Amino acid sequence: MSYDAIEDAFNYISNGPPGDRRALVHRVSGKVFLASIELGFDQAPPEADNDPDYLLIPRRQDLDPGKGLILAFFNDHAQAEVPQVKAIFTRSGAFRNVKDLMRRLHLLDLWHIYEEQRIEELLRKWCLDKGLPL
């Protein structure tokens, strides 16, 4: 089974409009199937919806720990700013405002690396939890 194929499918569905795309992986063969309502195609075989060996690959939004990940990042890279970040999360527009703070602190590039690494860890954990050998 190829982690790269699962990651590619994960990115495919995560970068599409919500509700438009889906991806399945067959637990036994490792084959990945993509679908898009907007583009009008579905590669999955008809039995996929009723067979537990076909797993729906999660979207990024399904794995993203959101606020918790941001707080962990600030704990690791700018601990003095944690109280300010917690205060930002009490108001609307929190994610935009936190990214503005990262920009001002010149941490935005480091954040993107940190976030991608964490999302990869979460996707690999999802695979292992579902019994997908990588």
Side-chain angles (χ1 to χ4, degrees):
M1 183 156 311
S2 166
Y3 173 77
D4 290 341
I6 292 172
E7 183 180 43
D8 287 347
F10 170 80
N11 289 325
Y12 168 76
I13 60 175
S14 296
N15 292 328
D20 173 54
R21 298 176 182 181
R22 74 176 189 150
L24 300 168
V25 60
H26 188 250
R27 187 190 319 258
V28 178
S29 70
K31 186 168 172 133
V32 172
F33 303 91
L34 304 176
S36 169
I37 295 169
E38 183 179 313
L39 298 177
F41 76 91
D42 189 345
Q43 299 173 335
E47 70 272 10
D49 289 334
N50 298 317
D51 186 336
D53 283 332
Y54 288 89
L55 303 172
L56 190 62
I57 296 173
R59 295 174 54 86
R60 180 184 188 99
Q61 296 81 349
D62 299 328
L63 296 182
D64 192 348
K67 177 182 172 184
L69 183 61
I70 291 171
L71 289 171
F73 172 79
F74 275 93
N75 265 325
D76 291 348
H77 298 285
Q79 197 168 24
E81 304 299 330
V82 169
Q84 181 179 352
V85 172
K86 287 180 179 178
I88 288 172
F89 276 108
T90 64
R91 301 182 301 272
S92 65
F95 287 99
R96 183 191 64 225
N97 292 328
V98 166
K99 291 227 174 152
D100 287 344
L101 176 61
M102 289 176 185
R103 236 179 248 103
R104 288 193 305 275
L105 296 172
H106 306 287
L107 293 173
L108 198 55
D109 289 339
L110 187 58
W111 160 250
H112 289 298
I113 293 166
Y114 185 90
E115 180 183 34
E116 287 304 313
Q117 288 173 341
R118 182 63 180 137
I119 293 296
E120 180 178 343
E121 290 170 9
L122 291 170
L123 183 58
R124 286 181 179 276
K125 181 182 180 321
W126 176 85
C127 290
L128 293 175
D129 290 348
K130 298 298 183 182
L132 299 172
L134 302 178

